[in-house]
Amino acid sequence: MEAVKQGSAAVGVRSNTHAVLTTLKRASSDLSDFQKKIFHIDEHLGIAIAGLSSDARVLSRYMRTECLNHRFVYDTALPVGRLVSQIGDKSQACTQRSWLRPYGVGLLVAGYDQTGPHIYQTCPSGNFYEYRAMTIGARSQSAKTYLEKTFETFSDCSKDELIKHALSALKETISSGTGELNARNCTLAIVGADTPFTILEGDDVMPYIENLSTEDAGADADAGADAM
């Protein structure tokens, strides 16, 4: 669990039609690229991670295999809840065997199936929970405070509004001395009724961040005018 708390933040939110993941990427040094934080699993689901990326790659490979096997046998997508339950069982087994260690990674699973969009959180202990909105990783309490204040409006949000809320929550996890949210250190992913799981990075994320910055600047200007 400590590895999850030390990992960079990830946020997941869902409406009646879509689920969105967004993550804050870290670089080990100024010379290195940012680490990958969102993994594509199948056309209808993907994961965001906080913790050890090596363990995340092992779990993502297992999830992809399960999705492929289910699609091959039944010619349909694997239900999101069933896959998360299997991940919980696999994680829990590592906690009771002396020759294994628990997986040092927490997952936010976003998917869409016959019952609609879903956001699940999995823990190294094997526990898993479904949420309307959730955040994990370092300084996630700040993002959780934002989500607790706004989650009741998420159900009827459009795709763009849902992305704005996810980015706003992620922005809360950035301390004032560590920079700002930008297209280089942020990754977005979205899945929904009309949208296969799609990862957005770099220039694809820029319009959403610029829109968020514009709204924040407008809000600050209005607050200043009211104070005067």
Side-chain angles (χ1 to χ4, degrees):
M1 291 299 291
E2 193 62 31
V4 178
K5 294 177 183 178
Q6 296 298 324
S8 56
V11 175
V13 296
R14 69 175 173 90
S15 66
N16 290 332
T17 56
H18 292 86
V20 171
L21 295 174
T22 182
T23 61
L24 191 64
K25 297 185 290 185
R26 285 178 180 169
S28 57
S29 74
D30 292 338
L31 300 177
S32 68
D33 198 2
F34 290 95
Q35 288 186 333
K36 186 176 181 181
K37 295 283 293 180
I38 294 182
F39 296 83
H40 180 279
I41 302 300
D42 200 358
E43 291 301 309
H44 71 299
L45 70 92
I47 60 172
I49 70 164
L52 301 179
S53 57
S54 54
D55 286 1
R57 289 196 299 270
V58 172
L59 290 176
S60 66
R61 191 181 307 119
Y62 169 79
M63 295 172 79
R64 291 188 188 107
T65 302
E66 291 300 306
C67 287
L68 285 171
N69 289 341
H70 189 278
R71 196 176 290 275
F72 178 78
V73 174
Y74 299 104
D75 195 27
T76 186
L78 177 61
V80 181
R82 187 182 304 173
L83 179 60
V84 172
S85 177
Q86 291 175 225
I87 288 293
D89 293 341
K90 186 176 178 67
S91 299
Q92 193 278 332
C94 294
T95 68
Q96 63 182 40
R97 294 174 180 168
S98 60
W99 62 93
L100 296 175
R101 66 164 177 81
Y103 290 106
V105 65
L107 308 180
L108 287 180
V109 183
Y112 187 92
D113 56 23
Q114 293 179 344
T115 59
H118 302 278
I119 292 289
Y120 286 93
Q121 178 202 4
T122 71
C123 303
S125 62
N127 289 330
F128 60 90
Y129 312 91
E130 185 171 10
Y131 291 95
R132 281 184 279 181
M134 188 55 187
T135 176
I136 58 175
R139 296 178 61 85
S140 59
Q141 184 58 50
S142 299
K144 194 175 295 183
T145 299
Y146 173 86
L147 294 175
E148 288 171 349
K149 293 177 180 178
T150 57
F151 78 93
E152 293 181 350
T153 66
F154 292 172
S155 296
D156 299 321
C157 282
S158 66
K159 180 172 68 175
D160 289 346
E161 290 173 338
L162 199 63
I163 290 174
K164 187 195 78 171
H165 283 299
L167 289 175
S168 296
L170 187 66
K171 191 174 181 179
E172 295 293 322
T173 68
I174 302 176
S175 59
S176 57
T178 59
E180 60 182 12
L181 193 66
N182 57 58
R184 292 188 66 237
N185 65 7
C186 175
T187 302
L188 268 173
I190 186 165
V191 63
D194 55 351
T195 308
F197 189 83
T198 305
I199 299 175
L200 306 177
E201 295 183 290
D203 293 340
D204 294 329
V205 180
M206 184 64 74
Y208 298 106
I209 294 179
E210 289 179 344
N211 183 47
L212 181 65
S213 300
T214 301
E215 291 190 7
D216 288 346
D220 291 342
D222 290 342
D226 291 341
M228 293 177 64

